[in-house]
Amino acid sequence: MNGVFIHQQVKALQNLGHQCSVLLTHNWFPPRGLHKFHPYWKEGYDLKLDYFSEVEGVPIHSVPVLVKMPNRIFKEDPYEREAKAIVKYVKSNSSLKDTDWIISHFWTETSFIGLLVKEKLSIPLASFCRGDDIHEWPQNNPILFSHLRRVYEGADRLFANSQRLADDAQALVSSSAKKNVEVIYNGVDLEKFKPVSLEKKVKIKSEFGWHKDEIHLLCVATPVVLKGWLELLDVLKLLVSKFQNVKLVAVTVDRNFPDKIDLKSEALKRGIEEKIIHLGQIHHNQLPKIYQACDLFVLPSYNEGLANVALEAAASNLPMVLTDVGGHKEIFEYSNSVKLVPPKDTNSLLEAIEKQIQEISNVADSRICVQDNVGSYLQNAQNLIKFLV
């Protein structure tokens, strides 16, 4: 539910011989078709239908969470409610009773639930911050900020997926007693994401119905303001007057966010609707070919921990334009084929993309950067274990 990269980390831990189980919650619903009589029950039923019991050898447990009704009488804290359901489930499941660690992600949300479970079951908690849980969510919500502080103070091990994010987390809770926040990069699948020859690239473009002489810019991001889509569309409008053969390939996640952007209508406003290839949500197994077919990767996001899509694009040896946020500089500062620009700076973004297009035939070195500085999921799982034994 929280991303392919978390599943890859769990799978890598399991491949190292550690028994892992994933717990996913859903609203409790009654049997025999009665779920259709209440929206909470129907939501839980539909979510449970989407869950697998196992993915690539990793067992997944579906944990029912009872929502007491009516809400105006049974006022419950939703985080306490989820934690209570997980505690009950763990106590009743023999395969989970001897758990050594709870590993949770996002300090303000699931890690806070993990902290409540730790307090009730006395199982140590290892918690990862990922980006928005430090940069975005706590800034506008005092409840989430209090969650962040409690996780920082109460977790047994704290991790971040870049050094800059670790530093930002420390600064955000500077009034608390200082604790170590260790850096564990997410890793990248260097076998799945890899470069192809120019001849193969042309062939893949043809498979997609793209013209071989077009320059395809790729952005893979949630369609929200924070990912810099509006700046990218503004830049595209300026680019096409100079490079007639440029197209933007947009891969997006199909979810309803409060600040979701309608990319098609935004493109129409700018008169560039014919210059965008809207692919929508793509299965992760289809992404390698998308990277291989494109000529330049662009991610103008306002903040990141360390963008997984940037690591995948780099493993595919694409030249890139990224905003200088999160761990991007840690990985790509000395790359000749990765340009880092300030966030929300349309002029710098335009200049960097223009330069990359002009140098498109140069040999990229982005794959070397992730090989040397990030490593595989298995290598990073090994790094994680060193802190847990």
Side-chain angles (χ1 to χ4, degrees):
M1 290 176 68
N2 284 326
V4 170
F5 63 94
I6 292 178
H7 168 66
Q8 294 294 342
Q9 184 189 69
V10 175
K11 189 171 71 170
L13 288 169
Q14 189 139 302
N15 288 341
L16 290 172
H18 304 282
Q19 184 178 345
C20 301
S21 296
V22 173
L23 271 61
L24 297 181
T25 59
H26 63 85
N27 290 346
W28 175 89
F29 56 88
R32 299 173 185 172
L34 295 175
H35 63 272
K36 60 187 177 183
F37 292 108
H38 197 283
Y40 284 159
W41 297 344
K42 186 177 185 307
E43 180 183 330
Y45 178 83
D46 291 341
L47 195 56
K48 176 78 161 52
L49 278 183
D50 284 340
Y51 289 171
F52 297 96
S53 60
E54 174 269 332
V55 175
E56 295 184 305
V58 177
I60 298 175
H61 299 255
S62 302
V63 180
V65 180
L66 177 63
V67 180
K68 295 180 181 178
M69 298 175 290
N71 285 350
R72 64 181 181 276
I73 296 176
F74 299 103
K75 295 182 179 180
E76 297 179 289
D77 179 276
Y79 299 95
E80 290 278 359
R81 181 170 61 215
E82 294 244 341
K84 181 179 177 182
I86 291 171
V87 168
K88 180 181 178 182
Y89 186 89
V90 171
K91 285 183 175 179
S92 65
N93 192 301
S94 59
S95 68
L96 300 174
K97 286 183 177 178
D98 296 325
T99 296
D100 297 299
W101 283 92
I102 300 167
I103 299 180
S104 61
H105 303 265
F106 302 102
W107 286 6
T108 52
E109 296 282 343
T110 45
S111 281
F112 181 68
I113 295 170
L115 179 66
L116 298 178
V117 173
K118 171 207 162 166
E119 292 171 350
K120 292 177 173 65
L121 294 178
S122 299
I123 301 172
L125 171 68
S127 177
F128 281 81
C129 60
R130 293 291 179 188
D132 283 344
D133 51 338
I134 301 299
H135 294 136
E136 183 62 25
W137 305 332
Q139 314 301 326
N140 305 312
N141 190 324
I143 293 176
L144 294 185
F145 186 81
S146 70
H147 289 182
L148 184 150
R149 186 178 295 278
R150 282 185 61 183
V151 169
Y152 180 82
E153 294 171 349
D156 299 274
R157 292 287 186 275
L158 295 168
F159 299 97
N161 63 359
S162 71
Q163 186 59 57
R164 186 185 284 188
L165 184 61
D167 295 342
D168 290 346
Q170 292 278 22
L172 196 59
V173 289
S174 57
S175 60
S176 298
K178 189 171 182 179
K179 298 177 67 174
N180 287 335
V181 180
E182 308 293 347
V183 176
I184 302 287
Y185 293 124
N186 291 340
V188 61
D189 190 335
L190 293 164
E191 291 300 315
K192 184 175 184 177
F193 298 97
K194 54 189 176 184
V196 292
S197 66
L198 181 58
E199 182 182 3
K200 179 69 172 176
K201 181 182 289 286
V202 170
K203 182 179 179 182
I204 298 173
K205 283 180 185 261
S206 177
E207 290 175 10
F208 289 137
W210 304 349
H211 197 280
K212 65 183 179 66
D213 293 329
E214 290 176 340
I215 297 172
H216 292 94
L217 314 183
L218 172 64
C219 184
V220 182
T222 309
V224 295
V225 171
L226 290 172
K227 292 299 182 180
W229 281 105
L230 297 181
E231 288 82 0
L232 181 54
L233 294 178
D234 288 341
V235 164
L236 182 62
K237 181 180 179 180
L238 298 171
L239 274 175
V240 296
S241 63
K242 188 172 182 179
F243 303 98
Q244 293 293 321
N245 60 340
V246 165
K247 290 245 178 127
L248 173 63
V249 179
V251 175
T252 54
V253 177
D254 185 21
R255 288 190 220 158
N256 288 320
F257 293 89
D259 57 344
K260 183 176 180 180
I261 298 170
D262 185 337
L263 293 179
K264 291 184 179 179
S265 66
E266 291 292 340
L268 190 62
K269 287 178 191 176
R270 294 163 175 81
I272 54 172
E273 62 273 17
E274 299 299 321
K275 291 294 181 178
I276 302 181
I277 300 171
H278 296 276
L279 295 185
Q281 182 162 310
I282 296 293
H283 192 280
H284 196 253
N285 289 336
Q286 296 175 297
L287 275 176
K289 270 198 168 184
I290 303 295
Y291 290 118
Q292 291 167 350
C294 291
D295 302 290
L296 175 64
F297 182 80
V298 184
L299 185 65
S301 45
Y302 297 176
N303 66 66
E304 295 283 351
L306 178 60
N308 294 285
V309 289
L311 300 182
E312 293 168 356
S316 307
N317 212 32
L318 279 176
M320 300 195 292
V321 176
L322 308 173
T323 40
D324 184 8
V325 295
H328 293 165
K329 183 176 286 186
E330 296 166 38
I331 309 303
F332 301 110
E333 182 175 13
Y334 301 109
S335 170
N336 294 319
S337 58
V338 180
K339 309 294 183 190
L340 300 176
V341 300
K344 305 181 186 180
D345 188 335
T346 303
N347 290 332
S348 294
L349 183 63
L350 174 62
E351 182 181 340
I353 293 176
E354 282 187 344
K355 189 168 184 179
Q356 291 288 55
I357 290 174
Q358 291 163 353
E359 299 176 355
I360 209 79
S361 60
N362 292 353
V363 177
D365 64 357
S366 53
R367 182 175 172 88
I368 295 173
C369 293
V370 293
Q371 284 176 327
D372 292 349
N373 299 323
V374 177
S376 68
Y377 286 107
L378 195 64
Q379 289 170 317
N380 286 286
Q382 290 169 334
N383 293 335
L384 173 59
I385 288 299
K386 292 176 184 176
F387 293 103
L388 303 184
V389 294

